[in-house]
Amino acid sequence: MSFDDWILALHVLSAFAYVAAIVLFWVLVVAVRTSDTPDGTLRMGPVVKIGNACVAIGATGTIVLGIWLAFSVGGYDIWDPWIIAALVLWVLAAETGRRSGTEFMAGMTKAKELRDAGQEGPSAELLAANRTQRGLQMHTLSSVIVLLILVDMIWKPGA
Amino acid sequence: MTGVLALARPDSWDFPLFLHVLGAMVLVGGLLTGASAIAFARGDARFLRLGYWTLLGVALPGYVVMRIGAQWLYSKGPWEDLPEGVDEPAWLGIGWIVADVGAALTLIALILGGIGVRRLRTGGGTGLLKAAMVIAWIVLAAALVAVWAMSGKPE
């Protein structure tokens, strides 16, 4: 394997980490919709951390190694339409993902506040925070954008 | 030569490749989520069930889509009609082994986990779900090796 082959393999592995994190957050988004207790909500914390780590590895790996490949591999240029499209979509996915994370973290914060106040029982306010529509919309949008990046990477329009 | 054959990809391979990669990504995500939920459940039946149902409802469909894409790609490729003396590339062999052994292991994990989930009603089943979790981590590790091999294409 050449150095570029290694970079490509790590680029693809990063993409897998990114999508795996999106799948993980989908499972949590669905699961947290029925969670109205601080304990039930906070139990998801360690799994959220794994998802966040995968997003960090995936997002960084795809963009850094992707740009490296655009410059290094013959036949591709950074200004190729499909590469520019991928860069724009990556920025949009990162921003919508960040907004989704902020929305859902409000539920975790609320759960901590309730637990610290000694309220361990069901809370309608916590349930409402966990069922954030804006968070759901942002996560859906982020997922669709990442799917478009995958389509772009495979079909390479304009290449 | 087989490397060249793999790189020169006709347009008609794009959709099967998309299915293959998307399925593999969902499989990896399902394995990661299911195994993580069971790992951090700390005996919480709701979280143990979440882990199991993620393996069944996310990882398994991901595997099926990945495998359909793989077979479709294989049928379109030159692999069945390679010239005499030319072997299938190593990365393809790694992919087959991981897919077939991974399928068997995933089924074992789902059976063990399914029995475990049933036993949760009577207060048992945690051990079986942990066994399913260990198998899921193993399949996940093998899947990542397959991703490395299929994207880097080592000779």
Side-chain angles (χ1 to χ4, degrees):
Chain A
M1 278 173 74
S2 68
F3 185 70
D4 278 347
D5 290 337
W6 274 100
I7 297 293
L8 175 62
L10 292 173
H11 174 67
V12 174
L13 280 167
S14 301
F16 268 74
Y18 204 164
V19 177
I22 287 174
V23 170
L24 181 147
F25 284 125
W26 266 118
V27 172
L28 294 185
V29 162
V30 172
V32 85
R33 290 182 75 79
T34 56
S35 186
D36 59 357
T37 62
D39 186 49
T41 305
L42 292 172
R43 190 168 293 283
M44 296 182 190
V47 183
V48 170
K49 282 180 184 166
I50 289 176
N52 286 339
C54 286
V55 165
I57 292 166
T60 309
T62 49
I63 195 75
V64 172
L65 302 175
I67 289 173
W68 175 284
L69 288 167
F71 283 110
S72 180
V73 176
Y76 299 141
D77 290 306
I78 194 75
W79 54 80
D80 284 350
W82 68 276
I83 293 179
I84 291 172
L87 293 172
V88 171
L89 289 169
W90 183 94
V91 171
L92 293 173
E95 180 55 22
T96 49
R98 187 192 65 77
R99 289 186 188 194
S100 167
T102 304
E103 291 290 329
F104 282 105
M105 282 314 290
M108 297 292 276
T109 306
K110 184 71 195 170
K112 278 180 196 155
E113 286 172 6
L114 289 169
R115 189 189 60 186
D116 292 346
Q119 295 177 34
E120 296 292 338
S123 159
E125 204 179 343
L126 176 59
L127 187 63
N130 284 338
R131 288 183 173 180
T132 164
Q133 276 303 108
R134 185 165 165 74
L136 183 63
Q137 287 165 0
M138 285 296 121
H139 191 57
T140 305
L141 197 55
S142 177
S143 305
V144 170
I145 293 168
V146 169
L147 195 64
L148 287 174
I149 296 176
L150 180 60
V151 168
D152 183 56
M153 287 286 131
I154 288 179
W155 271 270
K156 296 182 175 56
Chain B
M1 180 186 175
T2 49
V4 174
L5 289 172
L7 286 172
R9 195 178 76 215
D11 291 346
S12 65
W13 293 21
D14 287 346
F15 186 66
L17 180 63
F18 172 72
L19 275 187
H20 179 57
V21 174
L22 183 64
M25 286 174 156
V26 172
L27 168 66
V28 166
L31 289 168
L32 176 74
T33 313
S36 300
I38 296 172
F40 292 108
R42 293 180 185 169
D44 184 328
R46 184 170 161 261
F47 231 63
L48 288 168
R49 284 195 187 93
L50 176 68
Y52 175 73
W53 286 108
T54 303
L55 291 177
L56 186 66
V58 180
L60 184 62
Y63 177 86
V64 171
V65 173
M66 179 278 292
R67 195 64 179 77
I68 289 170
Q71 200 64 44
W72 192 355
L73 273 174
Y74 190 80
S75 70
K76 283 181 171 291
W79 315 117
E80 287 169 335
D81 302 313
L82 287 174
E84 204 162 315
V86 177
D87 295 326
E88 274 190 354
W91 56 268
L92 198 53
I94 292 170
W96 285 128
I97 291 168
V98 170
D100 291 347
V101 176
L105 288 174
T106 303
L107 278 178
I108 291 169
L110 290 175
I111 291 166
L112 291 177
I115 297 167
V117 164
R118 279 183 67 87
R119 289 188 181 170
L120 283 175
R121 294 174 198 163
T122 53
T126 308
L128 286 170
L129 282 158
K130 281 184 179 168
M133 175 199 72
V134 170
I135 295 170
W137 285 125
I138 292 168
V139 177
L140 176 60
L144 293 178
V145 171
V147 172
W148 164 79
M150 305 211 95
S151 52
K153 297 186 170 45
E155 289 301 324

